[in-house]
Amino acid sequence: MGVIEEGAKKSAVLWLSLDRPRLAWHTWHDGAIYVVTGGGEQELPGLAGAERVEVTLRSKDNGGRLVVFDASVEVVDQAADADAVAALAKDRLNAADGATLTERWAADSQVVRLTPRGSAA
């Protein structure tokens, strides 16, 4: 297991370099990081329209920077990538609408896959 996968699995949050550094919760699934933005979820302005983003994972133990890497950005078809959406929904803590969460996301949010670029993964 690479440092990116290990770090992403151990920590529920990461930092994205967007208009400013943005903290985001995420899920690691099938070799990539998934986040949801908009529609009452975390606001990650500009992410869905970007080709790449810089991602910082921090150590869960001491908060120090574990790894920084570039990731390709792709908005996913939520129906076609239902397994990833289900994994993301499972990790969504304290959702008021847990039973209808994925329906709300399909209507109002974007699920974004962040695929590590290069050999650091």
Side-chain angles (χ1 to χ4, degrees):
M1 178 176 354
V3 67
I4 292 173
E5 179 179 357
E6 184 176 351
K9 284 182 172 181
K10 286 185 176 180
S11 179
V13 296
L14 50 72
W15 290 92
L16 299 173
S17 295
L18 296 168
D19 58 331
R20 62 178 171 77
R22 298 272 183 166
L23 183 66
W25 64 272
H26 71 279
T27 295
W28 177 268
H29 178 77
D30 199 21
I33 292 169
Y34 288 82
V35 297
V36 62
T37 182
E41 295 295 339
Q42 58 199 353
E43 293 298 329
L44 303 170
L47 180 62
E51 289 184 21
R52 58 161 290 282
V53 66
E54 183 180 88
V55 180
T56 302
L57 294 172
R58 297 194 172 275
S59 168
K60 191 172 183 176
D61 297 328
N62 63 19
R65 184 178 304 164
L66 184 63
V67 63
V68 177
F69 60 95
D70 280 344
S72 299
V73 176
E74 179 185 0
V75 176
V76 302
D77 177 331
Q78 295 182 47
D81 213 346
D83 288 348
V85 173
L88 191 60
K90 184 178 77 103
D91 287 345
R92 172 62 168 95
L93 301 178
N94 303 317
D97 60 345
T100 59
L101 181 64
T102 56
E103 289 85 358
R104 176 169 55 86
W105 287 354
D108 302 326
S109 304
Q110 292 176 302
V111 173
V112 180
R113 177 177 31 247
L114 307 175
T115 305
R117 299 170 67 156
S119 59

